[in-house]
Amino acid sequence: MKSHLNLGAALIALVMAGSIAACENNPGGTATTSAQEKSAKIGAWGVDLDQRDLTVNPGDDFNAYVNGEWMKTTEIPADLSRYGMFDQLRLDAEGDVRAIVEELAAKEAAPGSLEQKVGDFYGSWMNVAALDEIGVAAAQPHLDAIYAIDSPEGLMKAYASQHGDAPFGVGIIPDPADTTRYVAIIGQSGLGMPDRDYYLKEDQRFADYRAAYKNYVAAVMELAGLEDAATRADTVIALETSLAEIHWSAQDSRNIQKIYNPMSPEALAALAPEFDWSLVFEEVGLGGVNTFVVLQPTEIDAAAELFAATPMDVLKDYLAFHFINEQAANLSTAFDDASFEFFGRTLQGTEEKRERWKRGIQQVNGGLGEAVGQIYLERHFPPSYKAEMEVLVGNLTAALEERLQLNEWMDDETREGALLKLSTFEAKIGYTEKWTDYGPLEIGADTLLENALAITEFQWQEQLDRLEGPVDRVIWPYPPQTVNASYNPLLNQITFPAGILQAPFFDPSADPAVNYGGIGAVIGHEIGHGFDDQGRRFDEAGRIRDWWTQTADERFKAKTDALGGQYETYEPVEGLFINGELTMGENIGDLGGLQMAYAAYHRHLDACCGGEAPVIDGLTGDQRFFLGWGQVWRAKAREDEIRRRLVTDPHSPPEYRVNGVVRNLDAWYDAFEITEDSALYLAPEERVRIW
Ligand SMILES: [Zn+2]
C-alpha cells in the first residue's frame, strides 16, 4: 500500500523535512522561584531527577548522567524495538485515539458518515476471525491478475499500481523551481528489505538478515499457494539483489543537488527506453504532465534495463511477493505473523507483536487520521497552547535573527539571504484549518484488504486533484494527534501538531528552562533544517537557488565537515559507525536548535527577570536547560533496531543527540564545570558553532 505515497514521504523524510523524534516541556511564563508552586507533569518542575545517575561525571557521559538510573532500571517492552520519552507519549496518544475510535464505532452511524467509515475500518481491522476464515482468498483476485499478465503492457500497468511495490515510484510535491505549483516526481523503489545495505553489506549480522529474508520470502510464497516456493524466492531475491546494486545510497538520496533532475517525458523515455512511461503515466493519472523530477536517474536507467532483461515469470513472482509483502498486515494471521517474524523480530529485535488494537489505531491514524483528529483536539489541546507556542516560536526566531546579525563567518550578502529566508518562515501549530473531505472514500464492514487499498487510492487521488491548481499551503502533512514535528523546505514551513505539544514535550506548568531545553530546542531544530546542509539550498520562497557566496559556502562546509567528522567516530553497535553524511542534516538541526534555544532562554530571562534564573533544587537555570534536553532523548533500543536505524534513519541514535551536541556548546562546559580530563571534552577550537 505504498509505492506512490511512500516516495513522497521518503522524499519529505530523507531529503527535506526533518522530523524530530523526541522532546519535552514548554514555553515560558515567568521563572519559577518555588518548585512547589506549580505542578509540572514530570517531577516538581519538569525533570525527573530520580532518573539521573549521579555517579557519572556529566563531562564523561552527559546522557548517562541525566538518564543513567532510567537506563539501568528500564526494560524495553516486549512489543517495542525502542522505548523512551518519545515512545511513552506516542503510547499515550494511542490510548487517547482509541477512546475516540471506540466511541465512534459504537454509534449508530449513517452509511457514508465519518462514524461509519472509522467504525467499519477499525472493525474490519479488529475482526481477525473473519480474516483467518477467508485467508489467502482475500488476496487471490489480485494475485490472479498478476499471474494473468501476458504482455509488457500488462507489466507496466502492474508497476504503476499503488498496491504493491515496483522498481520505481511516483509522487507529487511543490515544484522546487516554482513552489507555487506542483510537480510529479519519480524515484527508485522496489526492495523488500529496508535499504540496499541489507543486500550488500559483508558484515555477518547482515548475512544473517539475508538468510532470514530468504526464509520469509519463501514462507510468504508458500502461504500464497505458489509451488516450489523456495526456488522462486531465490530468483526474486536475486532480482532484488541486482536492483540493490544499482540503488543509490540513503545519503545520496537526500542530496538535493543530486536528486533534482527535471525532465520532459521525452527525456525520460530516452533515459530509460525499456519502460513504456506514457502507459505508466496514463495508468496513474499523470498523462499530459510535461515535467517530471527524476530523483535517481542512473538508477532508473539501469532498473529499466534490469527489469526488461528479466523473464516474465520471475517478474510475476516478484510482483506477487511484493503485493503480499505490502499487504501482509491486512491479511490473515499467518501472513501477519510471517511479516512480524522477519521485520519485527529479525530486523528490529522485537519480541512480541503489538496488541491488535494498538496497530489498529496506527492504521486509523494513517488512513482516516483527520476524521478523529477534530475530536482529539477538543479533548487534548487547550486553545491557550497555541498562543503559548506562538510566543516560543517568536522567541526562537528572534534568537536566530540576532545570531545571524552577529554571525562572524557569514559575509553580508549571504547574511541578507539568510535573514530574508528567516523572515518568510511559517509556523503551523496544533492542527490544520482545512480538514480532509473523506466523502469519496468508501469503507466496508468486513473487507480489510479492500479498505486498505481504497485508502491508498483515495490518498493518491487527493494528490492528483491538487496537481493542476496552485500549491495548497494550508493542508497538513499528518493529523493533529501525531507525535512529531517537521520542516518542509519547499514551503519554508515548520509544523508542530497537537500530539507533540503536551507533557513531556510541552508543559505550561514546568520551569521555562526545561521548556526551552525541550520544545524550544525542537522548534530550533526544525528552524535549523532551513539552514542545514540540504535546507540551505532552498531560498525564501522554497525554490532551489544558490544564495550563498563562495566564501560563505566554503566556511559552512568546513564547519559541517568538522561536525560530520565527530559523528563518524561514534560506534553505537560494534563494527557500525554513525554515517556522518546521512545524519548531517539532523545533527546540524540538533546543534543549531540547542544553540538557538539556549539564546532564546536567555532572551526570556532578560525580558522577565533581569537576566537571572532562580536556583531550584540546587540547579542553575542553565543546568536545568541542559537537563531538559537530555531528558528528551531518554531512550533505549534493541541492537538490531539500532543497526537498522544506522543504515536507514537520518537521525543519530538518541544518546548521541545528547552527548554529540552538548560537547559543542560553550555554555554546557560552564554550566557543569566540565574540564579537559572529561571524556566528552573538546578544546574550544574543536567545538563546532554554526549559528
Ligand atoms: Zn529533524
Side-chain angles (χ1 to χ4, degrees):
M1 107 172 221
K2 358 190 202 166
S3 68
H4 300 286
L5 297 167
N6 233 8
L7 190 63
L11 189 74
I12 295 294
L14 282 180
V15 186
M16 320 195 136
S19 57
I20 180 77
C23 289
E24 99 112 33
N25 300 313
N26 129 61
T30 52
T32 317
T33 47
S34 158
Q36 275 68 43
E37 281 172 19
K38 296 185 170 188
S39 59
K41 299 264 167 37
I42 296 177
W45 41 267
V47 170
D48 185 352
L49 295 176
D50 293 341
Q51 305 308 332
R52 290 178 298 173
D53 182 347
L54 296 178
T55 67
V56 175
N57 166 19
D60 286 337
D61 185 344
F62 191 63
N63 180 59
Y65 166 75
V66 181
N67 299 317
E69 186 59 26
W70 184 89
M71 306 285 287
K72 276 187 271 183
T73 56
T74 303
E75 272 195 48
I76 302 171
D79 64 344
L80 295 179
S81 58
R82 173 158 146 171
Y83 184 63
M85 295 302 263
F86 180 83
D87 307 278
Q88 285 172 14
L89 189 52
R90 227 186 43 193
L91 296 178
D92 291 347
E94 274 175 6
D96 293 340
V97 173
R98 179 194 199 180
I100 297 167
V101 168
E102 291 186 345
E103 281 171 38
L104 292 179
K107 278 190 184 167
E108 200 62 43
S113 64
L114 280 181
E115 288 84 353
Q116 178 264 318
K117 288 172 189 180
V118 172
D120 280 355
F121 181 50
Y122 185 65
S124 71
W125 169 266
M126 292 303 289
N127 192 351
V128 178
L131 295 171
D132 287 347
E133 167 90 33
I134 189 169
V136 72
Q140 203 60 53
H142 302 279
L143 297 175
D144 289 348
I146 289 168
Y147 283 102
I149 293 171
D150 60 359
S151 65
E153 292 73 32
L155 281 172
M156 293 314 300
K157 287 185 182 177
Y159 297 157
S161 159
Q162 302 156 45
H163 300 157
D165 202 359
F168 58 84
V170 297
I172 292 172
I173 60 168
D175 185 348
D178 173 2
T179 54
T180 63
R181 65 182 187 203
Y182 289 105
V183 70
I185 56 173
I186 297 167
Q188 68 183 20
S189 192
L191 298 179
M193 287 196 281
D195 183 85
R196 70 193 299 273
D197 279 4
Y198 278 80
Y199 295 83
L200 308 175
K201 249 188 186 310
E202 280 170 17
D203 175 290
Q204 182 55 44
R205 193 65 195 130
F206 284 87
D208 296 343
Y209 295 145
R210 287 192 283 277
Y213 186 55
K214 185 175 163 171
N215 292 335
Y216 166 64
V217 179
V220 160
M221 294 183 110
E222 193 157 330
L223 285 170
L226 300 172
E227 284 166 21
D228 224 356
T231 312
R232 296 164 91 158
D234 282 343
T235 57
V236 167
I237 294 172
L239 174 60
E240 286 187 18
T241 305
S242 301
L243 186 61
E245 280 163 7
I246 56 180
H247 253 233
W248 285 22
S249 67
Q251 65 262 31
D252 282 348
S253 291
R254 68 173 285 278
N255 185 324
I256 193 63
Q257 289 173 308
K258 290 183 179 167
I259 62 175
Y260 181 61
N261 306 289
M263 277 184 204
S264 64
E266 294 74 28
L268 178 61
L271 174 76
E274 295 83 359
F275 280 169
D276 184 345
W277 294 100
S278 59
L279 196 59
V280 170
F281 296 145
E282 201 179 304
E283 189 70 15
V284 298
L286 293 172
V289 171
N290 52 28
T291 310
F292 293 87
V293 173
V294 180
L295 303 181
Q296 298 96 353
T298 56
E299 193 277 348
I300 295 294
D301 172 14
E305 272 175 46
L306 172 66
F307 274 65
T310 301
M312 173 93 76
D313 287 347
V314 176
L315 295 174
K316 289 187 197 178
D317 284 345
Y318 168 88
L319 287 167
F321 165 69
H322 278 275
F323 179 83
I324 298 280
N325 183 45
E326 293 286 330
Q327 304 300 335
N330 301 316
L331 295 168
S332 65
T333 305
F335 288 102
D336 192 40
D337 282 352
S339 178
F340 169 76
E341 285 301 319
F342 180 66
F343 290 104
R345 193 185 304 277
T346 304
L347 294 194
Q348 297 186 274
T350 313
E351 291 162 8
E352 283 174 14
K353 252 194 337 187
R354 300 197 75 204
E355 281 177 82
R356 187 87 187 164
W357 74 263
K358 293 180 181 170
R359 298 168 63 212
I361 295 306
Q362 288 182 335
Q363 300 278 337
V364 172
N365 282 336
L368 285 155
E370 289 192 4
V372 293
Q374 277 169 286
I375 304 173
Y376 176 88
L377 284 173
E378 286 163 19
R379 296 186 187 178
H380 304 287
F381 191 66
S384 62
Y385 279 23
K386 192 158 176 158
E388 295 193 51
M389 269 299 284
E390 273 160 7
V391 171
L392 267 172
V393 171
N395 276 348
L396 264 293
T397 308
L400 179 57
E401 187 180 338
E402 185 177 79
R403 294 173 76 85
L404 287 171
Q405 302 278 14
L406 298 173
N407 180 303
E408 285 170 4
W409 60 265
M410 259 186 171
D411 48 70
D412 287 343
E413 194 184 330
T414 311
R415 184 196 325 277
E416 247 170 65
L419 287 167
L420 179 61
K421 179 164 181 175
L422 184 62
S423 73
T424 65
F425 259 79
E426 203 172 58
K428 293 163 92 82
I429 297 167
Y431 52 91
T432 182
E433 308 277 346
K434 185 173 168 183
W435 298 92
T436 299
D437 173 12
Y438 291 102
L441 174 61
E442 286 182 30
I443 295 291
D446 50 11
T447 52
L448 176 60
L449 176 62
E450 298 311 315
N451 286 344
L453 298 181
I455 286 171
T456 306
E457 297 279 358
F458 170 76
Q459 291 177 335
W460 174 241
Q461 191 59 46
E462 255 194 312
Q463 293 193 53
L464 278 179
D465 290 346
R466 288 186 204 118
L467 183 59
E468 293 302 314
V471 162
D472 189 336
R473 298 181 60 87
V474 180
I475 49 171
W476 271 53
Y478 34 66
Q481 62 271 30
T482 307
V483 182
N484 211 336
S486 60
Y487 171 67
N488 184 338
L490 293 164
L491 301 175
N492 208 25
Q493 282 177 340
I494 46 178
T495 302
F496 307 95
I500 202 172
L501 301 179
Q502 51 183 323
F505 286 83
F506 178 80
D507 179 0
S509 302
D511 170 29
V514 185
N515 285 318
Y516 276 93
I519 194 75
V522 172
I523 296 167
H525 173 102
E526 301 307 340
I527 296 175
H529 275 310
F531 302 94
D532 74 18
D533 63 320
Q534 302 305 319
R536 75 188 184 94
R537 308 280 180 198
F538 299 81
D539 71 9
E540 76 284 356
R543 293 167 300 205
I544 294 183
R545 184 169 67 81
D546 190 4
W547 46 272
W548 293 63
T549 63
Q550 196 183 339
T551 311
D553 190 82
E554 282 163 9
R555 288 178 180 167
F556 180 86
K557 183 104 185 9
K559 285 173 180 293
T560 56
D561 283 351
L563 188 67
Q566 288 179 14
Y567 279 80
E568 279 171 1
T569 65
Y570 305 144
E571 187 181 7
V573 290
E574 206 188 323
L576 205 51
F577 290 81
I578 290 180
N579 180 336
E581 211 179 320
L582 175 62
T583 58
M584 181 64 82
E586 298 301 332
N587 298 336
I588 294 171
D590 282 344
L591 177 59
L594 198 63
Q595 284 169 329
M596 274 179 241
Y598 179 79
Y601 173 53
H602 280 268
R603 287 178 69 89
H604 159 80
L605 290 177
D606 289 343
C608 78
C609 326
E612 290 289 320
V615 171
I616 303 176
D617 286 342
L619 295 161
T620 66
D622 281 9
Q623 287 176 330
R624 299 194 303 277
F625 170 84
F626 286 110
L627 282 168
W629 173 250
Q631 177 176 256
V632 152
W633 300 109
R634 178 176 296 160
K636 290 176 94 159
R638 300 179 191 279
E639 196 178 312
D640 291 304
E641 175 68 350
I642 296 172
R643 199 175 282 111
R644 185 181 73 84
R645 287 179 180 268
L646 284 169
V647 170
T648 60
D649 188 350
H651 303 90
S652 294
E655 157 187 1
Y656 301 93
R657 300 187 73 167
V658 180
N659 289 343
V661 174
V662 294
R663 65 191 304 220
N664 286 295
L665 266 71
D666 296 342
W668 174 74
Y669 288 82
D670 296 339
F672 292 93
E673 296 172 7
I674 308 297
T675 53
E676 268 171 65
D677 47 6
S678 296
L680 292 175
Y681 179 85
L682 286 173
E685 67 274 13
E686 291 173 348
R687 297 173 200 165
V688 178
R689 179 181 168 149
I690 302 176
W691 306 118

